[in-house]
Amino acid sequence: MRASFGKKSESSASSSFSSFSSYSRLTMNGCPSGDGEVQIHVRCIPFAVDRNLLASKSSRVAALLKENPFQDLSYLLRDFPADPETFEHVVRFCHGFDLNLPTDNIVPLCCLAHYLGMTESHSIDNLLKKALALFTERVLPSWNESVKALRSSENIGKQAMHLGLIDACLESIIRKALADPQLLGHSIRPRTSGVDIEDDKNYKPNARRRLFVNLDWKSEESLSTLPLHLYTPIINAMVKNNVPSQYVAASLSEYVKKWGFLGGDSGVGENSMSICKRRAQRELIEAVEGILPRERGLVPCSLLFDMLRFAVLLEASSDCRNGLEIRIGAQLDQATVEDLLIPSQGYANENQYDIECVRRILKNFYGNNTCLDIPGIIKVTELMEEFLVAVASDIDLKISTFVSLSEMTAAASRGTRRNSDGMYRAVDIYLDKHKHLTEIEREEVCQVIDYQRMSQEAFEHAARNERLPLRVVVQVLFVGQLQLRDTITRKDEEKEEEEEEEEEEEGEEEGRAELGYSEGGVKREMQRMGSKVMELERECYVIRKEIEKGKSTGEMPKKGGVSMWKAMKRKFGCMGSTHNSNCQVNKKMAHRR
């Protein structure tokens, strides 16, 4: 059976192509199946092609046949990483079929056409020209197609770079991202109430975020699917052109989560992972750390700890590890105890956890924070106390290491009003797990406790704690007695102050009552005096009329044998001796005095 490859309409292309594929896979010997046919093997799959037809389109094949007409073309592509699907499109083109291929095959087809010399100088309207036209029309205008094209060039990077295809895709993606930075995804939402964004079922990113940041959506167009050597130029261009840091951080975070932690902690050992994989993963961690923005809070603290843990396991550079420790120190108040439990590496390390790494991170936190950040200091103090409780049970933890870390923790909390119960608990666990310590060594461990700031419950527990040295117990009882005395004195003073305040309030109420009474009496007296004045005015008016009348008759008027003046004085209560003319008002005033 032979396949016929004349020019056909696109409607019959599928059936003809299917028969061609079946034929090419059934003919497995190395000899031509006809006078003009040759079989070319692509990854052990034979393709039957007319050598003259192929030579008319390919300058490389034509040159080989010109030098030796009987040249064996079976392994024509042994020096080129072509795949069978791409070569099928070459054969289809040579037999007159129109190009109808997915975007993923455009870049490999361009590279294969260039390798075979299918250029315009050899034949008009050749494959390379048509493939490049498809690349310009279908790939470059689209973000998604550009990402797909970059991903398809992973195995033919040198050829694609030589043709300028990779640079064109990178420029297209960078230009689109600069025009619309949201293509890089939204910034990572901080934790709320201890729930991470990935655990929040009510949160769903928009479509553009799903293109770039892969949060449970397996988007093929995500930049996180690109290899590192194609991904880093895009991100570096974003940083160089001052794209907002939150978008860059979101992309890098998702990229390192996708590719940086392969195998988990247990799968990164020297014997469980190949040297090439270890090197590739180490290079990825170092590259991402070098590009990560420095702003606080853009990257989750837990992710930074994961990167640091793998950087230690993979033996990354000291610059990478130091950079991660500095970033973690800047936002240590967002960490958890589980984050700080970094396993020690190497046989020479005696401790179960990397205490020195935690100490360096704590120093970075104190160096980056000011005394005004009291909430952050309190959170870190609580965190470190919980960490001390977690590591105190390590039987290999030395006294000097425990005391040094405890002193660093206690030093920061002295400016706050926190109690030292957490420190006491860590010391108690350490003494319980290290029963071989002498009395002097136990006193050295207990010196990190601030007895003045222990709660009453802690005092009661310490007074009955047999693990504490006798001197420490005595000191605890003494401080407890002092605090009890101060408490009683303070309560007495508060009681006296309350009594004084009550007396003052009662005095003020009585004064207000007296003031209200005196004001009412004065008001009533004024009203009475006002009515007297009005009556006096009427009497004066009557007297003036009587006087005017007496002047006209020559007699002073009298009222019932009493002069009007005496009647008026009697009316106002002012009758007395000739030397005392005080009225009733004056008598009342004198009586009050």
Side-chain angles (χ1 to χ4, degrees):
M1 181 180 69
R2 292 188 57 181
S4 176
F5 296 107
K7 291 187 177 181
K8 300 184 182 295
S9 62
E10 192 61 33
S11 60
S12 62
S14 178
S15 58
S16 300
F17 184 60
S18 177
S19 62
F20 160 71
S21 300
S22 301
Y23 171 77
S24 63
R25 286 159 176 76
L26 289 172
T27 309
M28 298 301 293
N29 52 35
C31 300
S33 59
D35 295 337
E37 277 191 358
V38 63
Q39 285 190 355
I40 298 178
H41 294 266
V42 181
R43 298 184 183 177
C44 301
I45 298 178
F47 287 86
V49 187
D50 188 289
R51 67 169 60 201
N52 295 325
L53 189 59
L54 183 59
S56 66
K57 298 293 184 180
S58 171
S59 60
R60 179 181 286 269
V61 174
L64 291 175
L65 294 179
K66 182 178 180 181
E67 182 178 346
N68 183 6
F70 301 100
Q71 176 72 36
D72 183 11
L73 301 178
S74 299
Y75 298 97
L76 173 66
L77 301 178
R78 62 178 177 269
D79 297 330
F80 186 84
D83 59 89
E85 185 177 358
T86 303
F87 189 71
E88 284 180 356
H89 291 291
V90 173
V91 177
R92 287 171 61 89
F93 176 78
C94 291
H95 287 81
F97 286 86
D98 293 333
L99 288 179
N100 186 12
L101 66 162
T103 309
D104 296 356
N105 293 122
I106 292 179
V107 171
L109 185 62
C110 291
C111 295
L112 181 57
H114 179 266
Y115 175 79
L116 294 175
M118 305 178 74
T119 61
E120 294 301 298
S121 60
H122 183 71
S123 176
I124 303 299
D125 289 335
N126 214 340
L127 180 59
L128 182 59
K129 177 183 176 181
K130 292 182 176 294
L132 290 175
L134 287 176
F135 178 79
T136 304
E137 295 172 1
R138 292 176 52 186
V139 174
L140 295 183
S142 171
W143 166 279
N144 296 343
E145 303 304 328
S146 298
V147 174
K148 290 181 181 179
L150 274 180
R151 190 168 58 247
S152 66
S153 64
E154 182 175 0
N155 297 326
I156 50 174
K158 292 182 179 179
Q159 294 80 1
M161 186 70 71
H162 178 73
L163 287 176
L165 302 179
I166 291 181
D167 290 339
C169 289
L170 291 176
E171 291 175 2
S172 173
I173 291 174
I174 292 170
R175 185 170 57 252
K176 292 176 175 59
L178 292 177
D180 184 8
Q182 289 190 356
L183 285 170
L184 303 183
H186 293 297
S187 59
I188 297 177
R189 192 174 61 173
R191 290 184 179 183
T192 56
S193 302
V195 179
D196 198 359
I197 180 174
E198 299 175 0
D199 300 328
D200 191 352
K201 298 180 180 180
N202 297 324
Y203 174 73
K204 295 199 175 180
N206 59 21
R208 286 179 174 174
R209 175 173 174 79
R210 296 199 297 269
L211 294 178
F212 192 84
V213 179
N214 186 10
L215 296 177
D216 296 334
W217 286 271
K218 309 301 181 181
S219 175
E220 294 181 355
E221 293 77 20
S222 172
L223 288 185
S224 63
T225 61
L226 296 177
L228 184 64
H229 69 279
L230 295 177
Y231 176 77
T232 50
I234 299 175
I235 300 302
N236 282 325
M238 299 297 103
V239 175
K240 184 178 179 180
N241 288 275
N242 298 321
V243 169
S245 300
Q246 59 267 29
Y247 302 119
V248 177
S251 170
L252 289 168
S253 299
E254 199 58 36
Y255 193 85
V256 74
K257 283 194 288 186
K258 185 178 181 66
W259 302 108
F261 310 136
L262 299 177
D265 293 358
S266 60
V268 189
E270 295 182 359
N271 299 326
S272 58
M273 180 179 287
S274 66
I275 296 177
C276 294
K277 287 184 178 180
R278 284 177 59 87
R279 183 174 62 250
Q281 208 163 342
R282 179 172 60 248
E283 291 176 354
L284 187 146
I285 296 289
E286 293 174 350
V288 171
E289 190 281 327
I291 308 175
L292 273 176
R294 294 284 178 179
E295 288 86 347
R296 164 188 162 92
L298 292 180
V299 181
C301 196
S302 58
L303 179 60
L304 292 175
F305 270 105
D306 290 338
M307 292 180 63
L308 177 59
R309 189 174 291 108
F310 273 80
V312 174
L313 291 172
L314 297 169
E315 299 179 354
S317 65
S318 58
D319 291 340
C320 175
R321 296 196 300 270
N322 292 337
L324 289 171
E325 289 175 0
I326 293 173
R327 296 174 192 275
I328 292 172
Q331 54 190 71
L332 185 59
D333 54 321
Q334 303 174 7
T336 61
V337 179
E338 290 74 15
D339 294 332
L340 293 176
L341 298 177
I342 303 173
S344 298
Q345 299 299 316
Y347 297 103
N349 212 322
E350 298 178 352
N351 296 326
Q352 181 180 0
Y353 300 105
D354 196 342
I355 305 297
E356 293 301 320
C357 178
V358 176
R359 194 207 305 269
R360 291 192 298 269
I361 292 173
L362 189 58
K363 287 183 178 179
N364 289 324
F365 172 79
Y366 291 150
N368 293 328
N369 269 270
T370 63
C371 59
L372 300 178
D373 187 17
I374 300 300
I377 294 176
I378 292 177
K379 287 183 179 179
V380 171
T381 302
E382 295 174 351
L383 174 67
M384 292 306 302
E385 288 177 353
E386 294 178 8
F387 175 74
L388 287 171
V389 169
V391 302
S393 59
D394 185 2
I395 194 64
D396 296 323
L397 184 61
K398 296 181 179 180
I399 296 177
S400 58
T401 305
F402 179 81
V403 171
S404 175
L405 198 59
S406 300
E407 288 177 346
M408 290 180 63
T409 303
S413 63
R414 285 172 187 156
T416 64
R417 296 184 177 180
R418 291 190 69 257
N419 59 43
S420 58
D421 291 2
M423 189 67 65
Y424 168 73
R425 181 186 173 200
V427 169
D428 184 43
I429 294 176
Y430 186 85
L431 295 177
D432 182 50
K433 299 298 181 180
H434 298 77
K435 298 181 180 180
H436 61 278
L437 299 179
T438 64
E439 188 80 4
I440 297 177
E441 289 174 337
R442 287 188 292 162
E443 289 179 1
E444 183 181 356
V445 173
C446 293
Q447 70 182 3
V448 299
I449 304 175
D450 188 353
Y451 305 106
Q452 301 288 343
R453 299 163 62 187
M454 291 175 59
S455 65
Q456 188 62 34
E457 292 79 7
F459 272 119
E460 294 175 358
H461 185 275
R464 300 188 302 269
N465 194 344
E466 298 179 354
R467 291 181 288 271
L468 296 179
L470 180 59
R471 181 178 298 179
V472 173
V473 174
V474 172
Q475 188 174 359
V476 168
L477 293 175
F478 178 72
V479 173
Q481 290 295 326
L482 291 179
Q483 289 188 354
L484 180 61
R485 186 189 65 182
D486 294 340
T487 301
I488 295 174
T489 304
R490 186 170 57 254
K491 288 183 178 179
D492 291 340
E493 292 177 352
E494 291 176 355
K495 186 176 181 180
E496 291 178 359
E497 292 178 356
E498 291 178 357
E499 292 177 354
E500 291 178 357
E501 290 178 356
E502 291 178 357
E503 291 178 358
E504 291 179 358
E505 291 179 356
E506 290 177 358
E508 290 178 356
E509 290 178 357
E510 292 178 358
R512 285 194 295 269
E514 292 179 358
L515 180 62
Y517 174 79
S518 60
E519 288 180 353
V522 170
K523 186 176 181 181
R524 288 192 297 272
E525 186 68 22
M526 291 295 293
Q527 290 177 352
R528 192 178 68 81
M529 291 299 294
S531 61
K532 290 284 186 180
V533 170
M534 292 177 64
E535 186 177 354
L536 180 61
E537 288 179 351
R538 287 195 298 269
E539 293 290 341
C540 289
Y541 177 76
V542 172
I543 291 171
R544 188 169 58 250
K545 289 293 186 180
E546 292 290 337
I547 291 172
E548 291 177 356
K549 182 178 180 181
K551 284 182 180 180
S552 61
T553 59
E555 296 180 357
M556 286 296 294
K558 292 187 181 242
K559 188 176 182 181
V562 182
S563 68
M564 293 293 295
W565 179 251
K566 288 183 179 181
M568 183 176 66
K569 289 175 65 179
R570 186 180 295 111
K571 190 174 188 61
F572 284 96
C574 296
M575 286 298 296
S577 64
T578 57
H579 301 287
N580 186 11
S581 60
N582 292 333
C583 63
Q584 292 180 0
V585 176
N586 290 336
K587 289 179 181 179
K588 290 182 180 180
M589 295 297 293
H591 178 70
R592 288 184 182 178
R593 286 197 296 268

